[in-house]
Structures are given as C-alpha cells and as structure tokens.
Amino acid sequence: MPGTDVRNLVAGFRVCRTLSVLWFPNRASALPKMVWRQLFLASCLSAAVLLTNVEQKIFMQESDASNFLKKRGKRSPKSRDEANAENRQKLRADELRREYYEEQRNEFENFVEEQNDEQEERSREAIEQWRQWHYDGLYPSYLYNRHHI
C-alpha cells in the first residue's frame, strides 16, 4: 500500500509534535538545547582540568619508571639493602607484637589479682560475720582454741 508510508510519517510527526509540546510548552525549543550544550561543555572542561591535576600525582616520569623496573626482576636475588630493610620491618613487627601481648597479659594479671582480692575480702567478711553470730561469750571461742595433744 503506497499510502501507509505517508500515514506513518504523519503519525510520527504528530507524536514528535506532541512530545515537543510536552517538553517545551512555550515553543522555545532552542533554549534547552543551548543549556544542554553548556552543561556538556562545562562537564568536559571540568573533567579535563581534573585529569590534568590527577595525572601529576598518579603517573611518574618515564625515566623513573624505567629505573624502577630495572632495579630487580622477580627472580633475581635481593640486594643487601632490601634484605636489611625487610629484616628491620620483621623485627619491628615482632617487637610490636611482643609488646602488645605483654600488655594484654599484664592487664589480665591485674584483673585476676583484683578479682582474687575482692573474693578474699568477701570471704573474710563472711567469716567475721559467722564468728560474731556464733560467739558464745567465751573468748576465744572453743572451736578456734583447740589444743592438740
């Protein structure tokens, strides 16, 4: 049917016209396009400025990179300085670990000592109360003044 292409074109035009009326009710269609272009250009410009500033911090000079890669391959032996630095790091980590566990042990010992002191105080008070309750007027009491033959 030769007329269907024209009908589809007219229907599409009506849809576009309806959408343009919804988006731009005052028919000022050039203004939003300019705003979008300005936003796009501003974002591109800010991204470019940001990348140039970040590039200086992330990337290193080519000479520095080549020197870094030339230092040592994966399988080549470590230099004496590298081995000493690693040993110093390991010794420092061991020392910190030892200090940490010693501090934890001291805290626990202090806690246990406080608990024992409190328990002894409670038991001493309980014994004293028991002695006062059971005191029969004789001093010292019979139970605590036994003579063993």
Side-chain angles (χ1 to χ4, degrees):
M1 292 192 193
T4 55
D5 293 335
V6 174
R7 287 185 199 142
N8 288 340
L9 187 61
V10 170
F13 178 72
R14 285 183 187 148
V15 169
C16 289
R17 185 172 166 208
T18 306
L19 288 177
S20 68
V21 168
L22 289 175
W23 280 94
F24 313 114
N26 59 356
R27 299 265 184 188
S29 62
L31 181 64
K33 288 181 183 176
M34 289 180 62
V35 170
W36 282 108
R37 284 183 189 160
Q38 289 174 351
L39 282 174
F40 179 73
L41 288 175
S43 62
C44 287
L45 181 64
S46 62
V49 169
L50 183 66
L51 284 176
T52 55
N53 288 339
V54 171
E55 180 182 8
Q56 296 169 355
K57 296 177 185 175
I58 293 178
F59 301 108
M60 58 174 42
Q61 297 293 331
E62 185 177 350
S63 59
D64 295 339
S66 64
N67 288 338
F68 177 77
L69 293 174
K70 284 180 186 176
K71 279 184 183 175
R72 183 170 66 87
K74 279 188 175 181
R75 296 181 182 221
S76 63
K78 296 177 184 175
S79 68
R80 185 174 298 275
D81 293 334
E82 284 179 308
N84 289 340
E86 284 185 8
N87 286 336
R88 280 194 303 271
Q89 286 179 344
K90 288 178 185 176
L91 290 174
R92 179 66 181 147
D94 290 343
E95 182 181 353
L96 290 174
R97 191 177 305 112
R98 197 176 309 115
E99 289 176 1
Y100 171 77
Y101 284 122
E102 183 178 356
E103 183 180 334
Q104 294 294 318
R105 184 176 59 246
N106 289 340
E107 287 181 7
F108 181 71
E109 287 175 356
N110 291 340
F111 171 76
V112 168
E113 187 176 347
E114 289 177 6
Q115 292 292 324
N116 289 339
D117 290 346
E118 290 176 6
Q119 181 63 36
E120 288 174 8
E121 180 69 20
R122 285 193 296 269
S123 63
R124 188 188 63 75
E125 289 176 359
I127 290 171
E128 186 65 29
Q129 287 177 358
W130 187 87
R131 284 181 181 167
Q132 288 177 0
W133 177 260
H134 293 286
Y135 181 63
D136 60 353
L138 302 174
Y139 193 79
S141 66
Y142 175 74
L143 291 175
Y144 299 108
N145 196 19
R146 292 184 183 165
H147 296 287
H148 298 286
I149 302 176

